[in-house]
Amino acid sequence: MQQHPSTPPPTEPTIPAAAPLSEPVTLPTARPTGCPFDPPAELAQLREERPLRRMQYPDGHQGWLATGHSVVRSILADSRFSSRYELMHLPLPGGPAELPPAPPGDMSGLDAPEHTRYRRLLMGKFTVRRMRELTARVEEITAEHLDTMERHGGPVDLVTAFAQPVPALMICELLGVPSADRDIFQRHTATVTDQSTTFKDQMAAYTAIQEIIHGLVLAKRARPTDDLLSDLAQDSELTDEELAGVGAFLLGAGLDTTANMLALGTFALLSNPDQLAALRSDSGLVDQTVEELMRYLSIADTGIRAALEDVELDGHLIKAGETVTVSIQAANRDPKRFPEPDALDVHRKATGHLGFGHGAHQCLGQQLARVEMRVAFPALLTRFPTLRLAVPPEDIPLRTRSNIYGVHRLPVTWDQESGR
Amino acid sequence: MKLSVDRERCCGAGMCALTAPEVFDQDGEDGRVLLRDPQPPHRHHAAAREAAAICPAAAITVIEARQT
Ligand code: SF4
């Protein structure tokens, strides 16, 4: 076990003697071949052995890996674990040696009270009620895109024809960002979340988004319109830079999340015909299907925290300064929490999944995402009763090198002659 | 059953208003939890318990009535 000469020993050394299992592991990333929806198989084994265990980080740091639902949940809820980037060691190779602190407005890299300040400004704008009020508009945008798909005829790439534009247009409208810039934003956002691009390129893409938003912020300060950026520009104490950062953060979060759920979720449903049939025959299952897809797919598969002080957890001592990697995908497949976790089951009550995270950083936009998914999935399935993949499933390119899992393309088709 | 909420802890995720809309609401301005009914009728107990259990900020406290 790593020694920190600067840290005094804990007053009560309750740590069990090092067992063979305490050998540090590295973070498994390879998904089983032929199972695009399943987490790496080793994760299940690690979770079964020890839901919290030592992990070897690529930079030489020895920290922790949490895989069990209950321990992941406690870590995310515990303010002794920090979200500040500059305190973290990265779980996967290829990143920078040291992460810089969160740029202004990027609240996911902050702790209370700085995080709270941003969060409080925003959470009133994303309430259940406000997001439900957007339902009609989501329905409209969804229908327009389905119309276009239908006119075009199959096969089409569901990602570019449907899954990306619907949430993108919604977040652009909500923020007050011209949707003409959507393609540029989408491209930059893809770069930011792509682990195979260099950190420098990622930062450049982020800065590019932020510069466009910065220009918008100045315009909205001068001439407010009816949107979120204008609201924030009017009644908050945020500087231009902070406001541009918040805008870029919200835009990025809105562009690359629900889009992946819609495409990967459709892929998952098409790959589970019995579940798809159940959903088609009972529209009352939509809400819980959305939660189950969030659990089953866990597209934001991994989180990182850093211990601010020594924390005793699950019979282990996590020392101040150590990084903890929390595997959301492993937690959401924990059989102790969800029976038969590897089955997609639209009849399951998946509430309590950690697909939107947990704790003070739990997804701010989750109620928007829910509205979008609750509208988009049934609309797509109703419009195209014979929807199917247009290529063999093994030919679907997977986003294995991204912070957000999903598919790059999803070619689908349907019977055109039978009316729809 | 008696409920209380800690608006200081609340992070406005809305899980409560989603899960037990008869019992919880969110402030239209700041998004923080509002307790619509601190002593909900029996038919809302299960939903209220669930909301408390999944609240990401542990901002909801349930005091169960003593069984007699
Ligand atoms: S679920 Fe918890 S954090 Fe979310 S709004 Fe309700 S009380 Fe607040």
Side-chain angles (χ1 to χ4, degrees):
Chain A
M1 198 152 279
Q2 204 179 354
Q3 288 300 319
H4 287 255
S6 54
T7 340
T11 37
E12 278 181 305
T14 51
I15 310 310
L21 283 175
S22 63
E23 268 307 289
V25 294
T26 53
L27 181 66
T29 52
R31 289 173 186 264
T33 33
C35 315
F37 314 116
D38 283 349
E42 298 95 310
L43 276 176
Q45 195 195 327
L46 295 176
R47 183 187 54 222
E48 201 170 303
E49 287 169 10
R50 287 193 165 186
L52 177 66
R53 66 182 301 152
R54 295 300 274 172
M55 178 176 142
Q56 181 67 53
Y57 287 68
D59 64 357
H61 174 72
Q62 260 194 29
W64 299 87
L65 172 62
T67 46
H69 183 278
S70 135
V71 73
V72 166
R73 192 179 189 272
S74 349
I75 290 166
L76 293 176
D78 190 332
S79 58
R80 292 174 298 176
F81 292 103
S82 170
S83 291
R84 284 162 56 193
Y85 300 147
E86 70 272 26
L87 302 180
M88 295 171 180
H89 296 265
L90 289 177
L92 293 175
E98 271 175 37
L99 283 178
D106 180 357
M107 44 194 279
S108 58
L110 299 175
D111 295 337
E114 291 81 14
H115 170 259
T116 324
R117 170 175 171 252
Y118 284 117
R119 179 108 189 174
R120 293 243 167 114
L121 280 175
L122 293 171
M123 59 201 202
K125 319 266 184 221
F126 289 90
T127 57
V128 172
R129 187 174 312 115
R130 282 209 190 202
M131 295 304 107
R132 283 210 176 124
E133 284 164 8
L134 299 176
T135 304
R137 184 64 188 130
V138 178
E139 284 168 351
E140 243 169 59
I141 295 180
T142 302
E144 282 164 19
H145 286 80
L146 293 174
D147 290 348
T148 311
M149 275 174 67
E150 197 175 347
R151 272 199 306 275
H152 180 280
V156 299
D157 173 17
L158 194 77
V159 172
T160 46
F162 185 71
Q164 279 186 343
V166 171
L169 290 173
M170 280 313 295
I171 193 70
C172 286
E173 279 192 19
L174 198 66
L175 288 176
V177 170
S179 54
D181 291 341
R182 187 171 72 74
D183 287 346
I184 308 176
F185 288 133
Q186 206 105 48
R187 224 177 30 247
H188 287 320
T189 306
T191 310
V192 173
T193 51
D194 184 351
Q195 293 161 353
S196 58
T197 53
T198 65
F199 185 66
K200 206 169 135 252
D201 287 351
Q202 292 177 355
M203 287 310 284
Y206 190 82
T207 312
I209 299 178
Q210 205 156 350
E211 271 166 14
I212 305 178
I213 307 270
H214 196 117
L216 278 174
V217 163
L218 296 183
K220 288 183 195 293
R221 288 249 201 242
R223 218 185 272 226
T225 36
D226 184 19
D227 49 56
L228 206 155
L229 277 183
S230 298
D231 284 0
L232 289 174
Q234 294 317 295
D235 56 36
S236 79
E237 77 280 21
L238 297 179
T239 65
D240 288 349
E241 200 191 12
E242 288 171 334
L243 189 46
V246 168
F249 170 76
L250 293 176
L251 185 67
L255 284 180
D256 208 31
T257 46
T258 310
N260 286 298
M261 276 306 295
L262 292 179
L264 189 66
T266 304
F267 185 16
L269 288 169
L270 292 175
S271 308
N272 288 269
D274 52 334
Q275 300 304 307
L276 179 59
L279 175 62
R280 280 188 187 282
S281 66
D282 182 357
S283 60
L285 290 175
V286 169
D287 291 2
Q288 69 188 64
T289 299
V290 166
E291 301 305 319
E292 170 65 348
L293 286 170
M294 285 296 303
R295 178 197 76 82
Y296 181 71
L297 298 172
S298 300
I299 58 166
D301 49 38
T302 310
I304 317 172
R305 294 291 188 270
L308 292 169
E309 53 184 272
D310 289 1
V311 178
E312 266 194 61
L313 195 61
D314 225 26
H316 300 281
L317 178 71
I318 299 176
K319 295 228 178 187
E322 289 182 331
T323 291
V324 186
T325 294
V326 291
S327 177
I328 303 291
Q329 53 181 345
N332 277 342
R333 299 285 188 109
D334 188 341
K336 290 208 177 76
R337 181 63 181 76
F338 302 103
E340 301 226 32
D342 295 324
L344 174 70
D345 178 2
V346 298
H347 289 100
R348 180 199 304 275
K349 197 160 168 18
T351 344
H353 69 75
L354 305 175
F356 287 114
H358 188 67
H361 288 268
Q362 194 185 54
C363 177
L364 178 73
Q366 58 180 290
Q367 306 304 347
L368 175 60
R370 283 195 173 91
V371 168
E372 290 171 344
M373 288 188 276
R374 287 172 174 189
V375 169
F377 281 122
L380 172 72
L381 298 175
T382 312
R383 181 71 70 102
F384 303 112
T386 57
L387 190 76
R388 60 184 176 272
L389 295 181
V391 298
E394 57 275 17
D395 291 351
I396 307 283
L398 305 169
R399 294 177 30 132
T400 47
R401 302 288 317 266
S402 174
N403 295 345
I404 309 283
Y405 187 57
V407 294
H408 290 291
R409 283 184 301 285
L410 192 73
V412 292
T413 194
W414 56 91
D415 295 343
Q416 343 249 334
E417 53 276 77
S418 65
R420 283 173 163 178
Chain B
M1 168 190 273
K2 266 195 197 148
L3 296 166
S4 66
V5 293
D6 181 344
R7 288 176 40 89
E8 281 310 300
R9 296 186 69 105
C10 172
C11 65
M15 288 310 296
C16 53
L18 187 77
T19 310
E22 290 84 0
V23 185
F24 304 99
D25 200 350
Q26 284 175 284
D27 186 301
E29 279 304 306
D30 68 10
R32 283 194 267 175
V33 59
L34 293 174
L35 195 47
R36 295 183 61 179
D37 190 349
Q39 282 179 284
H42 193 262
R43 64 180 186 282
H44 297 321
H45 283 194
R49 257 181 229 120
E50 188 185 337
I54 60 177
C55 168
I60 302 170
T61 310
V62 182
I63 302 156
E64 300 284 354
R66 212 152 18 99
Q67 300 294 321
T68 44

